[in-house]
Each structure stands twice: as structure tokens, then as C-alpha cells.
Amino acid sequence: MESTLWLLLLGLARSDVGWSSFSEELKEFRELPVQILEVFDELHCKGMVFDARIFAVALRVCTYVLDLWLGVVIHACVIKRALDSDARVQRALMNFYERCWGIECANRVFNEMPKREDVVWNEAVKLNMKHEQWIIALELFQDMQYSCVKAKGTTTVRVLQACGKLKALALGKQIHAHVLRSGMESSVPICNILISMYAKNGELELAGAVFNLMEDRNLISWNSIISAYASFGFLDDAWNQFHKLESSTIEPDIITWNCLLSGHTLNGSYEDVLAILRMMQTSGIQPNSSSISCGLQSVIELGLLPHGKEIHGYVMRHDLDYDVYVGTSMVDMYVKSDCLDIAQAVFNNLKSKNICTWNSLISGYSFKGHLQVAENLVGQMEDAGIKPDIVTWNSMVSGYSRWGHTEKALDMIHQMKLSGLTPNVISWTALISGCSQNEKYRESLQFFIQMQEKGIEPNAATMSSVLQSCGGLSLLQKGKEIHCLTVKNGMTRDVHVATAIINMYNKSGDWRTAHKVFKSIHKNSLASYNCMIMGFAMYGLGKEAISLFHEMCSNGTTPDAITFTAILSACKNSGLVNEGWEFFDKMSGDYNVTPKIEHYSCMVDLLGRAGYLDETWDFIQKMPLKPDATIWGALLCSSRIHENIEYAEIAAENLFELEPHNSANYVLMMNLYAMSNRWKDLDHVKELMNSRGVKHGQGWSWTQIDHTVHHFSAEQSTHPDCGEIYFELYQSISQIKKMGYVPDVSCVYQNIDDVEKEKVLLSHTEKLAITYGLMKRQGSAPIRVIKNSRVCSDCHTVAKYISMLRNCEIIIKDGVRFHHLSKGNCSCKDCW
């Protein structure tokens, strides 16, 4: 037996084959490799002298069976016998150390070699490429050139591959020059990798030039150039090459089709992806897992669930559900199609799952508010041996924050830190965005400050949410700071950020700057048009809104339901009844937009405010949708304006049922009864409020001086400058009375005499805020006042007179409307 094994060892030594072939030979002998090493060790201990070939074979067998320490002993022996300069031993040593001890040890052995032949240099490059040590491989290749070592064709292919991976265009061009000098330009594999290298560096012209100069091409050549054009969005060029391939003697394969699918997917041509899938099958090529992943992504983007179910059926029929990427894509498709039950069923039946599969389902439940289910899934994932990653935790943070559970979201951040992960920009943006969506604007801004303190750079989504918070609080100065930050970070080209900037200025009382930002956008989106039209609506600039609507349509942008909400709001806020009717009538006929409840609400408000209460009631009776609180609220407001108790009582009755705890409805009704001196009815409404536990909302106004917000409440006068403010207000009232101002005591809904009512009028919070703004005003800056309820007609009149008296601009926000007062006129044209 021993002699047989020895003869086998000699036979292996005589066959100078590569490592892969050598491994295949050893596999045939099953248990013999270990016995060969035992014989080798025994003969070595008896003093038998081996040559370099035997040592090289022994090292290869050690590599095969992963005998770490015998290989080290052999290494010592070859050094002792001065055989470490033999190329076969050197290659065997490098392969042994690479496989058993790591690529770093293999490189150390290479560097310590007394001399190296060409084949050893090539082996060193190959091993480093195998371990993706791209930079070391390129450095070795450069050293080869300096040492006049001849590189094999396969080595050249490998280093060109590294140039593509590292985007090392300059070095890639040098190697291309080396290829030309060495006469290897006719090598098909080298030309193929050159095409790939240039494509990965974005040099499509050079990639095309290499392809065009090739005398011989194989399928890889065609696939490389088609992939190059398709991945960079040159889809027509990719198809041209595809058609040329079809007319050649070479037939496209699954890789060719997948190149086209991937390119169209990357460039958002999702409908074409589905068409290509059908073409593939027609041509006899069965889509594989890569093809299906592209198809499922396209279905997700297009929202074509029926097509997705067809693809799901194909996956099951062809047993492609083994592929974890296909499985994850199917789960993701059902999650994003709002079919969580099917997504869960698919997930349960998948043969293999990775962390992306788990994350897809977790994010689906989290997004829809099924937070406990999502948290349970995280626990199940950990039980399955998969540790949650940053994506998992961010999904949970986003879900809890989105659904208003800020404390729980912070707990998820804490758990993330305990697991050894650091919250990133997505984590912080989830907190900021969630607070902003739930109108917790101050918390949103506080989280943004904390994020900056931790040195985390915001992204476009962060800035959009922060701008939304600034707009929600009407913090113009803070909004300007954030705007500057977006300019500094180069984010203003992002359509979402640009739209958020417009929205912030609109909601902060500066529509002119909002319009300037709008006009500076190179190509406005539907969202930015909607935002600006709504901005005009907020200021009662109906004509400007209509003009912008027509401009939008002439530029090829099709209005949607939000556009019509904005334009109808502009009409109602400007009293443009005919124009409002025209837009409402054209919605479904000309623009294929079915009116929703918010559009009907705008029309009720438009007709009612204009005094057409009978027409308004008829409109409500005939509308195809069931009236909601917005419809009855609009009717109640209009009835109060025109002191129509009959319609007001109908509206109030419905509102008290739909919104039993909304104090504003009760207050409006009490005001109307007070205006009509129906004090008993007023007391009845008060009793109804008390019986239902409804509390009268506190009225307040505020104005910002420098970086300090000054708050004025109707219930208490706690401002430190209260005495000075009232003195200044008395002075102003006295002066504007000389200009013709007469106090509107009908705005006081209390059963007291007119003298007392005039005193009550002086305590209205918007008057106090305007007065304080005038006291602290510097230069010609407008006075900006934010109020939480509708400004009364007396305060509106006082503001107009003061704008004349002090030659200043006053901007008042009451709810969602803005009043821009200047020289005795208001932008609302007294229609509010």
C-alpha cells in the first residue's frame, strides 16, 4: 500500500497541472490524499530526500486537505534545502498560504521570495483578484511592467477588470496601450473586458470604438456592448446593437435579454420591461430569476398588481421561488400593493429568506401602522438567527414616528444603539418627518438641531420635512436659514426640496419670495405648480392663480385633483363665482378628474360666501356624495357671514352630530345668535357644550421679533410690556378714528353695552400683536402676525387703517388664509 501511494505521489509530481485540475484529480481518490501525506511524512522522517516537484505536490495536497501545520513544516524544509526559488514550489506555497492562512500571508511569502519567475507574478495577481484586492493586484501588475515580466492574457483580463471595479480610467488606458504594444488587440477576451472597463468608467464612445474594431466577436462581446449602452440609458443604441446581433450568426441568450431588462429598469422604462419579458418568451427564451426581479420591480412602480400576480404564477410554475431575490421582490410587490395578507403568505412559503426579505415585510407592517406585528417579526427574525440591521431599525423608527408614537420611535433608536449600530441620516429623517406629518413641528425642529449637533449631514428628504415644519409654524426667519442651508448643500435642484421651499414661504407669509423660487426652477413639476397655485389661493390672489393654471396647461402639465382643489380654493377666496363654476364643470369633462368631497366643499364655500345661500343648499342636496363636516362647516360659515339662521341651524345640527367635540362649530353658532340678540338660544348652545364636555378653544396671536416669539392670549395679559402695548394701541385707535374708523361692536358676542364692547375689542390678540410689532419694528420690514382663529372684521379694519397711518405692510395669518394689508387695502379684497 505504501509503495502504491508513493508511486501515486510521483505520478502527481510529473503532471504539471493547474490547481483546479489538480484538485479534480485528488477528488477521484477520496480518502487517499490524507494517506499520501502520511506516507510523505513517514518517508521524510526516515531521511528520504525529495526534489522540488515532490515538495510542490505535497504542498498542493496540504492545501487540498487544509493541513495547516504540515504545510508550514514543508515550507521550512524547502527553505532549508534552498528550493524556495523553484517556480513550482513558489506557486504551491502561495496557493497553500492563500487558502489556509489568508491572502495577506500569501502576499508576504511572495514579497520574501529571493527571485520570481513570470508565472509566479501572474499567480500573485490572480490570487489577489480572487480576494478582490483590486489595488494590490494593479500595483503588482505595474511592478511586473517595471520588471519586464511578461503578463499572461488572463492576467491582463483580470487587471482590466480591476480598473473597471475601481473606476481607474487612466490606468485602464495605460493597460490598453500595453495590449496594443504587445499585439494582443486581436484577443477576444481582452477586447471584451476592455469594453466592460470603459463602460464602467462611463466612456461609452471608447467602449464602442473597441467593439467596432474587433474582427472577431463572440456572444460576450455583444452582451458587453448592449449592457454598456443599456445601463447608461442609451436604450436606442442598445436596441440597435441587439438587432445587429439578431442578424448575425450568433443568437441572443438570457444574458442579452437581461441586459436590456436591467437597462430599462434602471432608466424607469417600466412598461417596456414588461414588453421585453413578453418578447423573450415569444423568442423561446425563458425568463430566469434576474429577469423576474426586473419584471416585479416594474410591476411595483406601475402599480399593476394583476400583472404581478401573473408573474407570481410563472415563478411558481417554473420553481423560481428558490431564489431569495425573486422571493423578496414578490413580498415587496404585495407589500407595496397594500396586500399585506398575501405578502405574509408568500413570505411564509418562501424556501429561503435573507434579511432583505424580513425587512420588506417588517417595513410593510410598520408603514401601515401594524406596529406590534412588525415588532413581533423583528423578534422572529432574531430567533431565526438573523440580526436586525440599520434598515430593520429604521423601518421601526419610521413606523412609530409616522403614526405619532414619538416616544416609542426614540425607544427603537435606543435599541438600535444597544445592538451596536449608529443612527444614520435615515433614522433622524424618519423622526423629523414623522413629527412634521403629525404637526409636531417644534419636536421636528428640535430633532433636526440634535441631528446637526451629532455631525450627521441632512439629505433632501430631511430638508423637505424641516421646511414643512417651518411652514407649519410660519417661522419665516428659521425657514430662510434652512433655505440657505439647502443652497449651500446644492439641494435646490431637487424637485421635492424646491417645492418644500415654495410651500414654506407661502405658509410663512411671503408669497413674493415663494413666487421667485418657483420661477427660478428650470422645469416645474405638477407638485410645484400645485403648491404655487395654492399659495396664491391662501392670499386671495385668484387672478394670479388662474393665470398660473393656464400657464401650467400650456406647458404640457396635466392638472390633477389637487390642482383643482387649489384653483377652486383660489376662486372661493377671491369671490370668483363664475370662474369657479367654469373650473368645476371642466374637471371631469375636459381633464378627466372626478370631483371629490373637497371640490364640492370648495364650491359650497364659494357660493355661500358670495351670498347664494339658496343655490348653495340646492347644490348640497344634488351632490352625488354624502355631505361631510367640511360641507356643513362651509355652509355654517357662510350662514354666519350673511346672518342666515335657518341654514346655519341645519348645518350646526349636522356638525354637532359629526364633530361633537369641535368647539369651533359651537362658537360660530353662538356668535350668530349673539349677532341676532337671541341670547336664550346662545345659552342653549353653551349648555350643550358643557353637557358634552366641550371646552372653548383659547384664542391667541403671536409675532416674532428677532428670534423671539411673543405670544398674546385672550384669556390672560402676561406680556411684560403689556402696559406699553395698550398705551400704544389707544394712541393708534384715537388717530385712526380721526381718519374715519368706527369700531364694529357687532364683533363682540356678549350681552353688554356698546361702550363695554369697544373695550373688549381692544383686547383682541391680533391688535396687541400688531401694536407690539410696530413698537419693535426696524426699517421697512412687514409686521407678521399669526392667529389661531379667523380675524374679526373690526381687527381687519383696524389693520387696514394702521397700514395707512404707519405706512407699513401688515401680514396676518388666520387659520390657512393670509391677509396682506398695505396702504389701507387687503389682498383678500374683504372676501374672507
Side-chain angles (χ1 to χ4, degrees), residues 194-205:
L194 277 169
I195 294 168
S196 178
M197 184 273 294
Y198 280 124
K200 287 179 179 176
N201 281 280
E203 295 287 343
L204 294 186
E205 288 188 15

Side-chain angles (χ1 to χ4, degrees), residues 284-447:
I285 301 290
Q286 291 298 317
N288 63 9
S289 58
S290 297
S291 324
I292 293 301
S293 294
C294 291
L296 287 169
Q297 185 178 341
S298 298
V299 165
I300 291 168
E301 296 295 336
L302 294 170
L304 298 175
L305 182 60
H307 286 71
K309 289 183 176 179
E310 289 178 19
I311 295 174
H312 186 179
Y314 177 91
V315 167
M316 302 308 294
R317 290 193 301 273
H318 292 81
D319 294 324
L320 292 175
D321 56 329
Y322 73 89
D323 186 282
V324 69
Y325 298 106
V326 171
T328 301
S329 295
M330 286 198 300
V331 171
D332 200 41
M333 175 192 70
Y334 285 116
V335 163
K336 290 177 178 174
S337 300
D338 201 16
C339 299
L340 283 176
D341 52 343
I342 304 178
Q344 181 72 66
V346 172
F347 177 86
N348 292 340
N349 291 314
L350 286 179
K351 295 171 183 176
S352 58
K353 308 179 184 83
N354 62 11
I355 193 164
C356 296
T357 322
W358 285 93
N359 284 343
S360 180
L361 191 60
I362 289 167
S363 67
Y365 279 116
S366 179
F367 182 81
K368 296 300 291 184
H370 304 297
L371 300 166
Q372 191 55 56
V373 179
E375 200 163 341
N376 291 341
L377 275 172
V378 174
Q380 292 172 29
M381 181 171 75
E382 291 179 298
D383 293 340
I386 300 176
K387 185 180 179 182
D389 64 1
I390 191 76
V391 177
T392 318
W393 292 115
N394 282 345
S395 295
M396 296 304 302
V397 172
S398 178
Y400 277 115
S401 184
R402 172 185 171 84
W403 289 93
H405 305 293
T406 308
E407 289 300 321
K408 194 65 177 171
L410 289 171
D411 181 54
M412 291 294 113
I413 292 279
H414 179 65
Q415 289 189 45
M416 184 194 303
K417 291 177 181 177
L418 289 177
S419 70
L421 298 169
T422 303
N424 60 11
V425 62
I426 297 172
S427 318
W428 285 99
T429 301
L431 282 171
I432 293 165
S433 174
C435 289
S436 184
Q437 288 172 23
N438 286 283
E439 299 184 4
K440 298 177 180 178
Y441 300 125
R442 296 193 185 280
E443 286 184 44
S444 176
L445 294 176
Q446 286 167 2
F447 283 132

Side-chain angles (χ1 to χ4, degrees), residues 199 204 225-235 238 259 262-264 266-267:
L204 294 186
I225 195 65
I226 290 170
S227 174
Y229 285 129
S231 59
F232 278 91
F234 294 93
L235 301 178
C259 288
S262 176
H264 283 76
L266 286 170
N267 287 279

